Amino acid sequence: PGTWHEAAALSALNEGEPYGIEIGRHHVALYRVGNEYYATSNICTHAEALLSDGILEGCEIECPLHMGRFDIRTGEALTSPVEIDIRTYPVRVAGDRLEVCLP
Ligand code: FES
């Protein structure tokens, strides 16, 4: 289950530039890697920094506050000090927009 929401224009999503949005109570970070798109929670599980302010390298997002890293494909916490995985959300392309499925 979950509900699809319009998230962003594809033209707003640039490689290497995480893009933060809010949909209702959800803070979501969108990412583009080549022609693939991903979405995760935008809130770091360590101390609540916004991952959309961090640096995306390949499929790893580095938190701007303490440099913990997550895999944006799986949400897996990769490097200290982050230990708790972040949520990931399904995305799909609809025309020239990206949609995200939220619980
Ligand atoms: Fe993200 Fe500390 S807030 S690593």
Coordinates of all heavy atoms in Angstrom, one line a residue:
P1 N 0.8 -1.2 0.0 CA 0.0 0.0 0.0 C 0.9 1.3 0.0 O 2.1 1.2 0.1 CB -0.8 -0.1 1.3 CG -0.4 -1.3 2.0 CD 0.7 -2.0 1.2
G2 N 0.2 2.4 -0.1 CA 0.9 3.6 -0.2 C 0.2 4.4 -1.2 O -0.7 3.9 -1.9
T3 N 0.5 5.7 -1.3 CA -0.2 6.6 -2.2 C 0.9 7.3 -3.0 O 1.9 7.8 -2.5 CB -1.0 7.7 -1.4 OG1 -1.8 7.0 -0.4 CG2 -1.9 8.5 -2.3
W4 N 0.6 7.4 -4.3 CA 1.5 8.1 -5.2 C 1.2 9.6 -5.2 O 0.1 10.0 -5.2 CB 1.4 7.6 -6.6 CG 1.9 6.2 -6.8 CD1 1.2 5.0 -6.7 CD2 3.3 5.8 -7.0 NE1 2.1 4.0 -6.9 CE2 3.4 4.4 -7.0 CE3 4.5 6.6 -7.1 CZ2 4.6 3.8 -7.2 CZ3 5.7 5.9 -7.3 CH2 5.7 4.5 -7.4
H5 N 2.3 10.3 -5.1 CA 2.2 11.8 -5.1 C 3.2 12.4 -6.1 O 4.3 11.8 -6.3 CB 2.7 12.3 -3.7 CG 1.9 11.9 -2.5 ND1 0.9 12.6 -2.1 CD2 2.0 10.8 -1.8 CE1 0.4 11.9 -1.0 NE2 1.0 10.8 -0.8
E6 N 2.7 13.5 -6.7 CA 3.7 14.2 -7.6 C 4.8 14.8 -6.7 O 4.5 15.3 -5.6 CB 2.9 15.3 -8.3 CG 3.8 16.0 -9.3 CD 3.0 16.9 -10.2 OE1 1.9 16.5 -10.6 OE2 3.5 18.1 -10.4
A7 N 6.0 14.6 -7.1 CA 7.2 15.0 -6.3 C 7.9 16.2 -6.9 O 8.3 17.1 -6.2 CB 8.1 13.8 -6.1
A8 N 8.2 16.1 -8.2 CA 9.1 17.2 -8.8 C 9.0 17.0 -10.3 O 8.7 16.0 -10.8 CB 10.5 17.1 -8.3
A9 N 9.3 18.1 -11.0 CA 9.6 18.1 -12.4 C 10.9 17.4 -12.6 O 11.9 17.7 -11.9 CB 9.6 19.5 -13.0
L10 N 11.0 16.5 -13.6 CA 12.3 15.9 -13.9 C 13.4 16.9 -14.2 O 14.5 16.7 -13.8 CB 12.2 14.9 -15.1 CG 11.2 13.7 -14.9 CD1 11.3 12.9 -16.2 CD2 11.6 12.9 -13.7
S11 N 13.0 18.0 -14.8 CA 13.9 19.1 -15.1 C 14.6 19.7 -13.9 O 15.6 20.4 -13.9 CB 13.3 20.1 -16.0 OG 12.2 20.7 -15.3
A12 N 13.9 19.5 -12.7 CA 14.4 20.1 -11.5 C 15.5 19.2 -10.8 O 16.1 19.6 -9.8 CB 13.3 20.4 -10.5
L13 N 15.6 17.9 -11.3 CA 16.4 16.9 -10.7 C 17.7 16.8 -11.5 O 17.7 16.2 -12.6 CB 15.7 15.6 -10.6 CG 14.4 15.7 -9.8 CD1 13.6 14.4 -9.9 CD2 14.6 16.1 -8.4
N14 N 18.8 17.3 -10.9 CA 20.0 17.2 -11.6 C 21.0 16.2 -11.0 O 21.0 16.1 -9.7 CB 20.7 18.6 -11.6 CG 19.8 19.6 -12.4 OD1 19.4 19.3 -13.5 ND2 19.6 20.7 -11.7
E15 N 21.8 15.6 -11.8 CA 22.7 14.6 -11.3 C 23.6 15.3 -10.2 O 24.1 16.4 -10.4 CB 23.6 14.2 -12.5 CG 24.7 13.2 -12.1 CD 24.4 11.9 -12.8 OE1 23.9 11.9 -13.9 OE2 24.8 10.9 -12.1
G16 N 23.7 14.6 -9.1 CA 24.6 15.1 -8.0 C 24.0 16.2 -7.2 O 24.7 16.8 -6.4
E17 N 22.7 16.5 -7.4 CA 22.1 17.6 -6.6 C 20.9 17.1 -5.9 O 19.8 17.1 -6.5 CB 21.7 18.8 -7.5 CG 22.9 19.5 -8.1 CD 22.5 20.7 -9.0 OE1 21.3 21.1 -8.9 OE2 23.3 21.1 -9.8
P18 N 21.0 16.6 -4.7 CA 19.9 16.1 -4.0 C 18.8 17.2 -3.8 O 19.2 18.4 -3.7 CB 20.4 15.7 -2.6 CG 21.9 15.6 -2.8 CD 22.3 16.5 -3.9
Y19 N 17.6 16.8 -3.8 CA 16.5 17.8 -3.9 C 15.5 17.4 -2.8 O 14.9 16.3 -2.8 CB 15.8 17.6 -5.3 CG 14.8 18.7 -5.7 CD1 15.2 19.9 -6.2 CD2 13.5 18.5 -5.5 CE1 14.3 20.9 -6.6 CE2 12.5 19.4 -5.9 CZ 13.0 20.6 -6.4 OH 12.0 21.5 -6.8
G20 N 15.3 18.4 -1.9 CA 14.4 18.1 -0.7 C 13.0 18.7 -0.9 O 12.9 19.8 -1.5
I21 N 12.0 17.9 -0.6 CA 10.7 18.3 -0.7 C 9.9 17.9 0.6 O 10.4 17.0 1.3 CB 9.9 17.7 -1.9 CG1 9.9 16.2 -1.8 CG2 10.5 18.2 -3.2 CD1 9.0 15.5 -2.9
E22 N 8.8 18.5 0.8 CA 7.9 18.1 1.9 C 6.5 17.8 1.3 O 6.0 18.6 0.5 CB 7.7 19.2 2.9 CG 8.9 19.4 3.8 CD 8.7 20.5 4.8 OE1 7.7 20.6 5.4 OE2 9.7 21.3 4.9
I23 N 6.0 16.6 1.6 CA 4.7 16.2 1.2 C 3.9 15.8 2.4 O 4.2 14.8 3.0 CB 4.7 15.0 0.2 CG1 5.5 15.4 -1.1 CG2 3.3 14.6 -0.2 CD1 5.7 14.3 -2.1
G24 N 3.0 16.6 2.8 CA 2.3 16.4 4.1 C 3.4 16.4 5.2 O 4.2 17.3 5.3
R25 N 3.4 15.3 6.0 CA 4.3 15.2 7.1 C 5.6 14.6 6.7 O 6.5 14.4 7.5 CB 3.7 14.4 8.3 CG 3.4 13.0 7.9 CD 2.5 12.3 9.0 NE 2.0 11.0 8.4 CZ 2.7 9.9 8.5 NH1 3.9 9.9 9.0 NH2 2.2 8.8 8.0
H26 N 5.7 14.2 5.4 CA 6.9 13.5 5.0 C 8.0 14.5 4.4 O 7.7 15.3 3.6 CB 6.6 12.5 3.9 CG 5.7 11.4 4.3 ND1 6.2 10.3 5.0 CD2 4.4 11.2 4.2 CE1 5.1 9.5 5.3 NE2 4.0 10.0 4.8
H27 N 9.2 14.3 4.9 CA 10.4 15.0 4.4 C 11.1 14.0 3.5 O 11.5 13.0 3.9 CB 11.3 15.5 5.4 CG 10.7 16.6 6.3 ND1 11.0 17.9 6.2 CD2 9.8 16.5 7.3 CE1 10.3 18.6 7.1 NE2 9.6 17.8 7.8
V28 N 11.1 14.4 2.2 CA 11.6 13.4 1.2 C 12.8 14.0 0.4 O 12.7 15.2 0.1 CB 10.5 13.0 0.2 CG1 11.0 12.0 -0.8 CG2 9.3 12.4 1.0
A29 N 13.9 13.2 0.3 CA 15.0 13.7 -0.6 C 14.9 12.9 -1.9 O 14.7 11.7 -1.9 CB 16.3 13.4 0.1
L30 N 15.0 13.6 -3.0 CA 15.0 13.0 -4.3 C 16.4 13.1 -4.9 O 17.1 14.0 -4.7 CB 14.0 13.7 -5.3 CG 12.6 13.9 -4.7 CD1 11.8 14.8 -5.7 CD2 11.9 12.5 -4.6
Y31 N 16.8 12.1 -5.7 CA 18.1 12.0 -6.3 C 18.0 11.5 -7.7 O 17.2 10.7 -8.0 CB 19.0 11.0 -5.5 CG 18.9 11.1 -4.0 CD1 18.0 10.3 -3.3 CD2 19.8 11.8 -3.3 CE1 17.9 10.4 -1.9 CE2 19.8 11.9 -1.9 CZ 18.8 11.2 -1.2 OH 18.8 11.2 0.1
R32 N 18.9 12.0 -8.5 CA 19.1 11.5 -9.8 C 20.5 11.0 -10.0 O 21.5 11.6 -9.7 CB 18.9 12.6 -10.9 CG 19.1 12.1 -12.3 CD 18.8 13.3 -13.3 NE 18.9 12.8 -14.6 CZ 18.4 13.3 -15.7 NH1 17.7 14.5 -15.5 NH2 18.5 12.8 -16.8
V33 N 20.6 9.7 -10.5 CA 21.9 9.1 -10.8 C 21.8 8.6 -12.2 O 21.1 7.6 -12.5 CB 22.2 8.0 -9.9 CG1 23.6 7.4 -10.2 CG2 22.2 8.4 -8.4
G34 N 22.4 9.3 -13.2 CA 22.2 9.0 -14.6 C 20.8 9.2 -14.9 O 20.2 10.3 -14.7
N35 N 20.1 8.2 -15.5 CA 18.7 8.3 -15.8 C 17.8 7.6 -14.7 O 16.7 7.2 -15.0 CB 18.4 7.8 -17.2 CG 18.9 8.8 -18.2 OD1 18.8 10.0 -18.0 ND2 19.5 8.3 -19.3
E36 N 18.4 7.2 -13.6 CA 17.7 6.6 -12.5 C 17.3 7.6 -11.4 O 18.1 8.5 -11.2 CB 18.5 5.5 -11.9 CG 18.9 4.4 -12.9 CD 17.8 3.5 -13.4 OE1 16.8 3.4 -12.6 OE2 17.8 3.1 -14.5
Y37 N 16.2 7.4 -10.8 CA 15.8 8.3 -9.8 C 15.5 7.5 -8.5 O 15.0 6.4 -8.6 CB 14.5 9.0 -10.2 CG 14.6 9.9 -11.4 CD1 14.4 9.4 -12.7 CD2 15.1 11.2 -11.3 CE1 14.6 10.1 -13.8 CE2 15.2 12.0 -12.4 CZ 15.0 11.4 -13.7 OH 15.2 12.2 -14.8
Y38 N 15.8 8.1 -7.4 CA 15.6 7.5 -6.1 C 15.0 8.5 -5.1 O 15.1 9.7 -5.3 CB 16.9 7.0 -5.5 CG 17.6 6.1 -6.4 CD1 18.6 6.5 -7.4 CD2 17.4 4.7 -6.4 CE1 19.2 5.6 -8.2 CE2 18.0 3.8 -7.3 CZ 18.9 4.3 -8.2 OH 19.5 3.4 -9.0
A39 N 14.3 8.0 -4.1 CA 13.8 8.8 -3.0 C 14.0 8.1 -1.7 O 13.9 6.9 -1.5 CB 12.3 9.0 -3.2
T40 N 14.4 9.0 -0.7 CA 14.6 8.5 0.7 C 14.0 9.5 1.6 O 13.7 10.6 1.2 CB 16.1 8.4 1.1 OG1 16.7 9.7 1.2 CG2 16.9 7.5 0.1
S41 N 13.8 9.1 2.9 CA 13.6 10.1 3.9 C 14.7 11.2 3.8 O 15.8 10.9 3.5 CB 13.6 9.5 5.3 OG 13.7 10.5 6.3
N42 N 14.3 12.4 4.1 CA 15.3 13.5 4.0 C 16.0 13.7 5.3 O 16.9 14.6 5.4 CB 14.7 14.8 3.5 CG 15.7 15.8 3.0 OD1 16.9 15.4 2.8 ND2 15.3 17.0 2.8
I43 N 15.6 13.0 6.4 CA 16.0 13.3 7.7 C 17.1 12.2 8.1 O 16.7 11.0 8.2 CB 14.9 13.3 8.7 CG1 13.7 14.1 8.3 CG2 15.4 13.7 10.1 CD1 13.9 15.6 8.3
C44 N 18.3 12.7 8.4 CA 19.3 11.7 8.8 C 18.9 11.0 10.1 O 18.3 11.7 11.0 CB 20.6 12.5 9.0 SG 22.0 11.4 9.4
T45 N 19.2 9.7 10.2 CA 18.7 9.0 11.4 C 19.7 9.2 12.5 O 19.4 8.7 13.6 CB 18.7 7.5 11.0 OG1 20.0 7.1 10.6 CG2 17.7 7.1 10.0
H46 N 20.7 10.0 12.3 CA 21.7 10.2 13.4 C 21.2 11.4 14.3 O 21.0 11.3 15.5 CB 23.1 10.4 12.9 CG 24.1 10.7 13.9 ND1 24.9 11.9 13.9 CD2 24.5 10.0 15.0 CE1 25.7 11.8 15.0 NE2 25.4 10.8 15.7
A47 N 21.2 12.6 13.7 CA 20.8 13.8 14.4 C 19.9 14.8 13.6 O 20.0 16.0 13.8 CB 22.0 14.5 15.0
E48 N 19.2 14.2 12.7 CA 18.1 15.0 12.0 C 18.6 16.1 11.1 O 17.9 17.1 10.8 CB 17.1 15.6 13.1 CG 16.6 14.5 13.9 CD 15.3 14.8 14.6 OE1 14.9 16.0 14.7 OE2 14.5 13.9 14.9
A49 N 19.8 16.0 10.6 CA 20.2 16.9 9.5 C 19.4 16.6 8.2 O 18.9 15.5 8.1 CB 21.7 16.8 9.2
L50 N 19.3 17.5 7.3 CA 18.6 17.3 6.0 C 19.6 16.7 5.0 O 20.6 17.4 4.7 CB 18.1 18.6 5.5 CG 16.8 19.1 6.2 CD1 16.4 20.4 5.5 CD2 15.7 18.1 6.2
L51 N 19.4 15.5 4.6 CA 20.3 14.9 3.6 C 20.3 15.6 2.3 O 21.4 15.6 1.6 CB 19.9 13.4 3.4 CG 20.0 12.5 4.6 CD1 19.5 11.1 4.3 CD2 21.4 12.5 5.2
S52 N 19.3 16.4 2.0 CA 19.3 17.1 0.7 C 20.3 18.2 0.7 O 20.7 18.8 -0.3 CB 17.9 17.7 0.4 OG 17.5 18.5 1.4
D53 N 20.9 18.5 1.9 CA 22.0 19.5 2.0 C 23.3 18.8 2.0 O 24.4 19.5 2.1 CB 21.9 20.3 3.4 CG 20.7 21.2 3.5 OD1 20.2 21.6 2.4 OD2 20.3 21.5 4.6
G54 N 23.3 17.5 1.8 CA 24.6 16.8 1.8 C 25.1 16.6 0.4 O 24.6 17.2 -0.6
I55 N 26.1 15.7 0.3 CA 26.8 15.5 -1.0 C 26.5 14.1 -1.5 O 26.6 13.1 -0.8 CB 28.3 15.7 -0.8 CG1 28.6 17.1 -0.4 CG2 29.1 15.3 -2.0 CD1 30.1 17.3 0.0
L56 N 26.0 14.1 -2.8 CA 25.7 12.8 -3.4 C 26.9 12.3 -4.2 O 27.4 13.1 -5.1 CB 24.5 12.9 -4.3 CG 24.0 11.6 -4.9 CD1 23.5 10.6 -3.9 CD2 22.9 11.9 -6.0
E57 N 27.5 11.2 -3.9 CA 28.6 10.6 -4.7 C 28.1 9.2 -5.2 O 28.0 8.3 -4.4 CB 29.8 10.5 -3.9 CG 30.5 11.8 -3.7 CD 31.8 11.6 -2.9 OE1 32.2 10.4 -2.6 OE2 32.4 12.6 -2.6
G58 N 27.9 9.1 -6.5 CA 27.4 7.8 -7.0 C 26.0 7.6 -6.3 O 25.1 8.5 -6.4
C59 N 25.8 6.5 -5.7 CA 24.6 6.2 -5.0 C 24.7 6.3 -3.5 O 23.9 5.8 -2.8 CB 24.1 4.8 -5.4 SG 23.5 4.6 -7.1
E60 N 25.7 7.1 -3.1 CA 25.8 7.3 -1.6 C 25.6 8.8 -1.3 O 26.2 9.7 -2.0 CB 27.2 6.9 -1.2 CG 27.5 5.5 -1.3 CD 28.9 5.1 -0.8 OE1 29.5 5.9 -0.1 OE2 29.3 3.9 -1.0
I61 N 24.7 9.0 -0.3 CA 24.5 10.4 0.2 C 25.3 10.6 1.5 O 25.2 9.7 2.4 CB 23.0 10.7 0.4 CG1 22.8 12.1 0.8 CG2 22.3 9.7 1.3 CD1 23.1 13.2 -0.3
E62 N 26.0 11.7 1.5 CA 26.8 12.0 2.7 C 26.1 13.1 3.5 O 25.8 14.1 3.0 CB 28.2 12.4 2.4 CG 29.1 12.7 3.6 CD 30.5 13.1 3.2 OE1 30.7 14.3 3.0 OE2 31.3 12.2 3.1
C63 N 25.8 12.8 4.7 CA 25.1 13.8 5.6 C 26.0 15.0 5.8 O 27.2 14.9 6.0 CB 24.8 13.1 6.9 SG 24.0 14.3 8.1
P64 N 25.4 16.2 5.7 CA 26.2 17.4 5.9 C 26.7 17.6 7.3 O 27.6 18.4 7.5 CB 25.2 18.5 5.4 CG 23.9 18.0 5.7 CD 24.0 16.5 5.5
L65 N 26.1 17.0 8.3 CA 26.4 17.3 9.6 C 27.6 16.6 10.2 O 28.6 17.2 10.7 CB 25.2 17.2 10.5 CG 25.2 17.9 11.8 CD1 25.5 19.4 11.7 CD2 23.8 17.8 12.5
H66 N 27.6 15.2 10.1 CA 28.7 14.4 10.6 C 29.2 13.5 9.6 O 29.9 12.5 9.9 CB 28.3 13.7 11.9 CG 27.6 14.5 12.9 ND1 26.3 14.5 13.2 CD2 28.1 15.5 13.8 CE1 26.0 15.3 14.1 NE2 27.1 16.0 14.5
M67 N 28.9 13.6 8.4 CA 29.5 12.9 7.2 C 29.1 11.4 7.3 O 29.8 10.6 6.6 CB 31.0 13.1 7.2 CG 31.5 14.4 6.7 SD 30.8 15.8 7.6 CE 31.5 17.1 6.8
G68 N 28.1 11.0 8.0 CA 27.6 9.6 7.8 C 27.1 9.4 6.4 O 26.6 10.3 5.7
R69 N 27.1 8.2 5.9 CA 26.7 7.9 4.6 C 25.6 6.8 4.5 O 25.7 5.8 5.3 CB 27.9 7.4 3.7 CG 28.8 8.5 3.4 CD 30.0 8.0 2.5 NE 30.8 9.1 2.0 CZ 31.0 9.3 0.7 NH1 30.6 8.4 -0.2 NH2 31.7 10.3 0.3
F70 N 24.7 7.0 3.6 CA 23.7 6.0 3.3 C 23.7 5.6 1.8 O 24.0 6.5 1.0 CB 22.3 6.6 3.6 CG 22.1 7.0 5.0 CD1 22.3 8.3 5.4 CD2 21.6 6.1 6.0 CE1 22.1 8.8 6.7 CE2 21.4 6.6 7.3 CZ 21.6 7.9 7.6
D71 N 23.3 4.4 1.5 CA 23.1 4.0 0.1 C 21.6 4.4 -0.2 O 20.7 3.9 0.4 CB 23.2 2.5 0.0 CG 23.2 2.0 -1.4 OD1 22.3 2.5 -2.2 OD2 24.0 1.2 -1.8
I72 N 21.5 5.3 -1.2 CA 20.1 5.8 -1.5 C 19.2 4.7 -2.2 O 18.0 4.9 -2.3 CB 20.2 7.0 -2.4 CG1 20.9 6.7 -3.8 CG2 20.9 8.2 -1.7 CD1 20.7 7.8 -4.8
R73 N 19.8 3.6 -2.7 CA 19.0 2.6 -3.3 C 18.3 1.7 -2.3 O 17.2 1.3 -2.4 CB 19.9 1.7 -4.2 CG 20.5 2.5 -5.3 CD 21.6 1.7 -6.0 NE 22.7 1.5 -5.1 CZ 23.9 1.0 -5.4 NH1 24.1 0.6 -6.7 NH2 24.9 0.8 -4.5
T74 N 19.0 1.5 -1.1 CA 18.5 0.6 -0.1 C 18.2 1.3 1.2 O 17.6 0.7 2.1 CB 19.6 -0.5 0.2 OG1 20.8 0.1 0.7 CG2 19.9 -1.3 -1.1
G75 N 18.8 2.5 1.4 CA 18.7 3.2 2.7 C 19.7 2.7 3.7 O 19.7 3.2 4.8
E76 N 20.5 1.8 3.3 CA 21.5 1.2 4.3 C 22.4 2.2 4.8 O 23.0 3.0 4.1 CB 22.3 0.1 3.6 CG 23.2 -0.7 4.6 CD 24.1 -1.7 3.9 OE1 24.0 -1.9 2.7 OE2 24.8 -2.4 4.6
A77 N 22.6 2.2 6.2 CA 23.6 3.1 6.8 C 24.9 2.5 6.6 O 25.2 1.3 6.9 CB 23.2 3.2 8.3
L78 N 25.9 3.2 6.0 CA 27.1 2.7 5.5 C 28.3 3.0 6.4 O 29.2 2.2 6.6 CB 27.4 3.2 4.1 CG 26.4 2.8 3.0 CD1 26.8 3.5 1.7 CD2 26.4 1.3 2.8
T79 N 28.4 4.2 6.9 CA 29.6 4.6 7.7 C 29.2 5.4 8.9 O 28.2 6.1 9.0 CB 30.5 5.6 6.8 OG1 29.7 6.8 6.5 CG2 30.9 4.9 5.5
S80 N 30.1 5.2 9.9 CA 29.9 5.9 11.2 C 29.8 7.4 11.0 O 30.4 7.9 10.1 CB 31.1 5.6 12.0 OG 31.1 6.3 13.2
P81 N 28.9 8.1 11.7 CA 28.3 7.7 12.9 C 26.8 7.2 12.7 O 26.1 6.9 13.6 CB 28.2 8.9 13.8 CG 28.0 10.0 12.8 CD 28.8 9.6 11.6
V82 N 26.4 7.0 11.4 CA 25.0 6.6 11.2 C 24.9 5.1 11.4 O 25.8 4.3 10.9 CB 24.4 7.0 9.9 CG1 24.4 8.5 9.8 CG2 25.2 6.4 8.7
E83 N 23.9 4.6 12.1 CA 23.7 3.2 12.4 C 22.4 2.7 11.9 O 22.2 1.5 11.7 CB 23.9 2.9 13.9 CG 25.3 3.2 14.4 CD 25.5 2.9 15.8 OE1 24.5 2.8 16.5 OE2 26.7 2.8 16.3
I84 N 21.4 3.6 11.9 CA 20.1 3.2 11.6 C 19.8 3.6 10.1 O 20.1 4.7 9.7 CB 19.1 4.0 12.5 CG1 19.3 3.6 13.9 CG2 17.6 3.6 12.1 CD1 18.6 4.5 14.9
D85 N 19.3 2.6 9.4 CA 19.0 2.8 7.9 C 18.0 3.9 7.8 O 17.1 4.1 8.7 CB 18.5 1.5 7.3 CG 19.5 0.4 7.3 OD1 20.7 0.7 7.6 OD2 19.1 -0.7 7.0
I86 N 18.0 4.6 6.6 CA 16.9 5.5 6.3 C 15.8 4.8 5.4 O 16.2 3.9 4.7 CB 17.3 6.8 5.6 CG1 18.3 6.5 4.5 CG2 17.8 7.9 6.5 CD1 18.5 7.6 3.5
R87 N 14.6 5.3 5.5 CA 13.6 4.8 4.6 C 13.8 5.1 3.2 O 14.3 6.2 2.9 CB 12.2 5.4 5.1 CG 11.6 4.6 6.2 CD 10.1 5.0 6.2 NE 9.3 4.2 5.3 CZ 8.2 3.6 5.7 NH1 7.7 3.9 6.9 NH2 7.5 2.9 4.9
T88 N 13.5 4.2 2.3 CA 13.4 4.5 0.9 C 12.0 4.5 0.4 O 11.2 3.8 1.0 CB 14.3 3.6 0.1 OG1 13.8 2.3 0.3 CG2 15.8 3.6 0.6
Y89 N 11.7 5.2 -0.6 CA 10.4 5.2 -1.2 C 10.4 4.9 -2.7 O 11.3 5.3 -3.4 CB 9.7 6.6 -1.0 CG 9.7 7.0 0.4 CD1 10.5 8.1 0.8 CD2 8.9 6.4 1.4 CE1 10.5 8.5 2.2 CE2 8.9 6.9 2.7 CZ 9.7 7.9 3.1 OH 9.7 8.3 4.4
P90 N 9.4 4.1 -3.2 CA 9.4 3.9 -4.6 C 9.1 5.2 -5.4 O 8.4 6.0 -4.9 CB 8.2 2.9 -4.8 CG 7.9 2.4 -3.4 CD 8.3 3.5 -2.4
V91 N 9.7 5.3 -6.6 CA 9.5 6.4 -7.5 C 9.1 5.9 -8.8 O 9.4 4.7 -9.2 CB 10.7 7.3 -7.6 CG1 11.0 8.0 -6.3 CG2 11.9 6.6 -8.1
R92 N 8.4 6.7 -9.6 CA 8.1 6.4 -11.0 C 8.1 7.7 -11.8 O 7.7 8.7 -11.2 CB 6.8 5.6 -11.1 CG 5.6 6.4 -10.8 CD 4.3 5.5 -10.8 NE 3.1 6.4 -10.5 CZ 1.9 5.9 -10.3 NH1 1.7 4.5 -10.3 NH2 0.9 6.7 -10.0
V93 N 8.4 7.6 -13.1 CA 8.3 8.7 -13.9 C 6.9 8.7 -14.6 O 6.5 7.7 -15.1 CB 9.4 8.6 -15.0 CG1 9.2 9.7 -16.1 CG2 10.8 8.7 -14.4
A94 N 6.3 9.9 -14.6 CA 5.0 10.1 -15.2 C 5.1 11.3 -16.1 O 5.1 12.4 -15.6 CB 3.9 10.2 -14.2
G95 N 5.3 11.1 -17.4 CA 5.5 12.2 -18.3 C 6.8 12.9 -17.9 O 7.9 12.3 -17.9
D96 N 6.7 14.2 -17.6 CA 7.9 14.9 -17.3 C 8.0 15.2 -15.8 O 8.7 16.1 -15.3 CB 8.0 16.3 -18.1 CG 6.8 17.2 -17.7 OD1 5.9 16.7 -17.0 OD2 6.7 18.3 -18.2
R97 N 7.3 14.4 -15.0 CA 7.3 14.5 -13.6 C 7.8 13.2 -12.9 O 7.6 12.1 -13.5 CB 5.9 14.8 -13.0 CG 5.0 15.7 -13.8 CD 5.4 17.1 -13.8 NE 5.3 17.7 -12.5 CZ 5.6 19.0 -12.2 NH1 6.1 19.8 -13.1 NH2 5.5 19.5 -11.0
L98 N 8.3 13.4 -11.7 CA 8.6 12.2 -10.9 C 7.6 12.1 -9.8 O 7.2 13.1 -9.2 CB 10.0 12.4 -10.2 CG 10.5 11.1 -9.6 CD1 10.9 10.1 -10.6 CD2 11.7 11.4 -8.6
E99 N 7.1 10.9 -9.6 CA 6.1 10.6 -8.5 C 6.8 9.7 -7.5 O 7.7 8.9 -7.8 CB 4.9 9.9 -9.1 CG 4.1 10.8 -10.1 CD 2.9 10.2 -10.6 OE1 2.7 9.0 -10.5 OE2 2.0 11.0 -11.1
V100 N 6.3 9.9 -6.2 CA 6.9 9.1 -5.1 C 5.7 8.5 -4.4 O 4.7 9.1 -4.3 CB 7.8 10.0 -4.2 CG1 7.0 11.1 -3.6 CG2 8.4 9.2 -3.1
C101 N 5.9 7.2 -4.0 CA 4.9 6.5 -3.2 C 5.2 6.6 -1.7 O 6.2 6.1 -1.3 CB 4.8 5.1 -3.7 SG 3.5 4.1 -3.0
L102 N 4.3 7.2 -1.0 CA 4.5 7.4 0.5 C 3.4 6.5 1.2 O 2.3 6.4 0.8 CB 4.3 8.8 0.8 CG 5.4 9.8 0.1 CD1 5.0 11.2 0.5 CD2 6.8 9.4 0.6
P103 N 3.8 6.1 2.4 CA 2.9 5.3 3.2 C 1.8 6.1 3.8 O 1.9 7.3 3.9 CB 3.8 4.7 4.3 CG 5.0 5.7 4.4 CD 5.2 6.2 3.0
Ligands
FES1 FE1 23.7 12.9 9.9 FE2 25.0 13.2 12.2 S1 23.2 14.1 11.6 S2 25.6 12.0 10.4

